[in-house]
Amino acid sequence: MNADTIAAHNFEHHLQHNPYPGRGLVIGRSSVDETWLIIYWIMGRSANSRNRQFIAEGSTLRTEPVDAALVDDPSLIIYEAMLALPFLYLVSNGDQTRTIYEALKTGGSFDGALARREREPDAPHYTPRISGMLDLRRSPGAVTLNILKANPLDPTNTDRFTYRPATPIPGFGFGLTTYQGEGNPLPSFSGDPLLLPCTGSAEAVLDTYWNALNEDNRISLAVKQISAQDGTSKILLRNRFTA
């Protein structure tokens, strides 16, 4: 199969026809201009998970309660999802975004930062932590992805996987989600990062991914558009629930 067929198959089976892939991220390149795209979304089934929305402030994307009075436990649902350093762009599904940011800021590494973190402590699901970094310090740019997930034999231990795929060609990206689909407990994502489409402008990609996610479970989705020339960025977002 060629890249178009593989990406379309992954998109259809893992996102479009999957009621609960959970949170997800994709780092790729637009098919229509010289920009990189970082896609991040959240889904939720519980009242606590659904009581949140995305807020964009400059190059930072964070989650925020829709109604602060209804927050049960903020520890795993309120965090900075996207942060940036000069020509380095981070995305994750938890407060490890800040861990990576602080490590890089002081001369540390992506891998070193995540070596200090574990999968989420939300038994029995033990939700994976998924993280990504786009490095534009050298052309054409490099993608790094990581997943921390519970060891299947002993979920108190964390299995650690870092991926450094070749730079995607325009129109494609690589992605991770927290889950394979529905289940009890929810099954962790399995396998290598998915090749996924990044067809069209940032606005078109936002629409494509939002429309693909399960209508009952999707909460918020954001696309950060990043210039490959000077590193400037902007964030487009969509929230299901608003105050």
Side-chain angles (χ1 to χ4, degrees):
M1 291 190 291
N2 61 29
D4 287 302
T5 302
I6 295 170
H9 176 271
N10 290 338
F11 185 83
E12 179 181 355
H13 287 269
H14 195 76
L15 299 182
Q16 199 168 24
H17 294 160
N18 184 352
Y20 207 70
R23 286 166 278 174
L25 61 86
V26 182
I27 302 178
R29 300 168 71 187
S30 169
S31 63
V32 297
D33 52 33
E34 294 294 318
T35 61
W36 281 85
L37 303 175
I38 298 180
I39 308 162
Y40 179 65
W41 68 84
I42 57 176
M43 304 182 78
R45 300 184 299 177
S46 69
N48 194 48
S49 293
R50 292 187 172 195
N51 182 34
R52 54 185 171 160
Q53 60 188 339
F54 281 164
I55 300 294
E57 298 173 331
S59 62
T60 297
L61 178 74
R62 59 182 175 84
T63 63
E64 179 181 88
V66 175
D67 185 343
L70 298 179
V71 174
D72 179 30
D73 178 6
S75 62
L76 296 178
I77 66 168
I78 305 302
Y79 54 89
E80 296 157 314
M82 292 184 188
L83 290 169
L85 291 160
F87 294 98
L88 286 171
Y89 306 87
L90 307 174
V91 58
S92 94
N93 71 326
D95 61 9
Q96 72 268 25
T97 323
R98 174 58 62 171
T99 303
I100 302 167
Y101 176 91
E102 295 297 340
L104 293 171
K105 189 177 179 181
T106 56
S109 68
F110 180 88
D111 288 352
L114 288 168
R116 306 197 300 269
R117 301 304 305 263
E118 306 288 337
R119 79 289 178 274
E120 292 187 355
D122 58 336
H125 307 297
Y126 294 107
T127 299
R129 292 187 186 272
I130 55 174
S131 308
M133 178 175 69
L134 171 62
D135 186 347
L136 291 184
R137 292 175 296 183
R138 294 183 181 178
S139 180
V143 174
T144 304
L145 300 174
N146 176 278
I147 184 167
L148 308 177
K149 59 183 181 177
N151 179 277
L153 300 179
D154 181 358
T156 64
N157 292 325
T158 299
D159 289 341
R160 303 167 185 277
F161 302 91
T162 298
Y163 304 88
R164 293 180 172 86
T167 302
I169 62 174
F172 297 93
F174 293 101
L176 295 170
T177 65
T178 50
Y179 306 124
Q180 283 293 103
E182 289 190 309
N184 189 20
L186 289 161
S188 295
F189 180 88
S190 179
D192 293 335
L194 299 169
L195 180 68
L196 290 165
C198 290
T199 306
S201 64
E203 292 83 359
V205 169
L206 179 74
D207 287 339
T208 297
Y209 277 78
W210 179 257
N211 291 332
L213 295 176
N214 181 271
E215 187 175 357
D216 292 331
N217 296 321
R218 66 190 182 191
I219 304 297
S220 296
L221 188 145
V223 176
K224 177 180 278 190
Q225 183 181 33
I226 304 161
S227 169
Q229 306 304 316
D230 60 14
T232 57
S233 66
K234 67 176 182 179
I235 298 175
L236 311 174
L237 58 83
R238 187 162 299 166
N239 288 311
R240 175 181 177 182
F241 303 106
T242 56

